[in-house]
Amino acid sequence: MITLPFGLFRRRRLTTDQQDRLLNELDALLQQIDTALDQFGADVEASDRNALAGSRTSLRELFLIVVAGEFNSGKSTFLNALLGAQVLPEGVTPTTDAITLLKYGPEPFDELVEPGLRIHHYPAEMLRQLTVVDTPGTNAVIRHHERLTRDFIPRADLVIFLTSADRPFTESERAFLELIKDWGKKIVVVINKIDILTQAEQEQVAQFVRDHVNRVLEHSPELFLVSARRALQARQQTDGAVDQWQESGMATFEHFVVDTLDEETRLRLKLLSPLGVARRITGKYLAATEARLATLSDDIQAIDQIERQIAFFGDELKQDAEYHLNEIDQVLTTLQARGEQFCDETIRLSRIRELIDGNRLRTAFEQEVIGDTYQQIDQRIQKLIDWLVEKNLRLQQSVDEFIQRRALAHRDHMLGEVGGSFAYNRQALLESIGQAAQSAIAGYNRQTEAQQLAGEVQSSVAATAITGLGAVGLGATLVAVFHTVLLDFTGILAALTVAGLGLAILPAKRRQAKESLRKKIDEVRAQLRTELRQQIERESEHTLRQIRERNAPFVRFVRAQQEHLVGLQRTFSDLTVAIEKFSKQVE
């Protein structure tokens, strides 16, 4: 009977100090990754946590081999031949869909740990050195991939991928390789049942499998051709056993296994296995962090764009306000021109009778000077107010639409991957801002806002020292000032004329009346401009404050997340460098 030269498993050992140093350094590195995942937050997938924890645990465990292939690829026969005993049942139909751990035990013993997982103990010498994971057929593996990828693939130090010469590289086998390729495991490919093929057919099948495996894994693993059935027969006989063992191809594979699994190489693979897990997890969350930063970068640009829009609104408001203020100025300038003309034509010796008749003078002044000035001033003030209300509303709508577009554009961004609470919180803030803006705009009644603003403008101007009058309508209030000033003056003039004292100084009084009117209009113009500008600024500041208050939670979220993620990006990047540095040291 053929026996494996197990003495080769006990080649020169690394010193315990060297082993401990490397194992401790790697364990510390895995701990740092675990800490970084804590910083990433609650969105870390449980499978990644389990894989990392399993990798740390596996550092102190026996070498772990995972064997995978279709149910009819001859896995059981292959393992029995490798272990040198009838350890597993064989058959043409699947014997189980459970994952089986083969471990050393003084007596054969089988236990079902939980549904889908059992442990088979057997006194095979090789099992003193390692643990073998026998998986169900790859079609069943795909159904139960969570257990396999969560508990065993991340911990595997070597994966033996077995395919059958009569059905090489099936779709389920391809799917299995796709499932595990990112874990960075050492994989060897074995083509079983070569005894049913000619030499030429063996070469054809080998090339077919090699091409497809390379396409999936993007590298070329070792490939072996064996007949597990003939190898097991050689194990069980004496005559011609050596020749049959050699012809089965198992001798070549045995040499590879023994050479690969010497103490030093086993330690190297055991160190490289968690590094593959570490590389995958670190790369995954570094990419997720950078994706979040990219999203935040867009958000920061959006926030800056809103601020630029607000600043542009302020500049544009000032420019447009001048147009409306100039229109009001024009009314006052026209009033002044009519007032001066009235003085020139009325305060004359030839119209002394009219000057003496106060009622007649008052009526003439109201008709010729004041005219529809009341209405003109009020109309232009109302026009300014309507413009300001509409301008503020349009700004709010513009910002609201901008936020809504961002919310819609990123509604599904990263959700379902590792976006998690980050994407959810960000989306919730965007949507809350949009809802608040919609509510504000929906409740923004142009007529009510205009009436309120008009009352504030009227009260603001009418309460100044210029008028000292109550809020009786802005146009009426302003014109009343000119009316009172001029009539007071002309009343004095009439008194002087009646007394026979004013005729000589009539031209001077006319100039004085015109100057008094001009001064009063200039004062009103300046005061009115100041008050209206201040009111426009107060109104626009109120609008901008509302917009900024609505955006504030999102702005705080973006700024805080950016600071956090920049630090996390640096952490994952440093860990990536540390992983590669440690890998080179191990290799």
Side-chain angles (χ1 to χ4, degrees), residues 40 283 285-296 414 565 569 573:
F40 189 86
Y285 288 96
L286 174 60
T289 299
E290 290 175 342
R292 292 181 175 188
L293 278 171
T295 300
L296 287 179
M414 292 192 301
L565 290 172
Q569 180 190 39
S573 297

Side-chain angles (χ1 to χ4, degrees), residues 408-431:
L408 289 173
H410 296 275
R411 182 177 295 279
D412 299 319
H413 185 64
M414 292 192 301
L415 291 174
E417 299 173 10
V418 288
S421 63
F422 166 80
Y424 178 82
N425 291 338
R426 178 185 170 279
Q427 190 70 27
L429 284 171
L430 280 171
E431 290 178 355

Side-chain angles (χ1 to χ4, degrees), residues 340-376:
E340 291 180 353
Q341 183 179 359
F342 181 83
C343 289
D344 288 338
E345 293 177 355
T346 303
I347 306 177
R348 305 169 63 88
L349 184 60
S350 60
R351 304 187 66 174
I352 191 65
R353 293 182 180 275
E354 296 176 18
L355 291 175
I356 295 174
D357 187 347
N359 290 331
R360 186 176 179 182
L361 180 63
R362 185 188 306 273
T363 300
F365 180 80
E366 289 179 350
Q367 292 175 348
E368 297 177 30
V369 177
I370 296 178
D372 63 349
T373 302
Y374 293 90
Q375 294 86 348
Q376 288 187 42

Side-chain angles (χ1 to χ4, degrees), residues 191-205:
I191 302 175
N192 191 21
K193 302 182 183 181
I194 62 164
D195 52 304
I196 65 174
L197 303 178
T198 65
Q199 184 64 37
E201 289 172 337
Q202 289 179 22
E203 292 174 2
Q204 249 183 342
V205 169

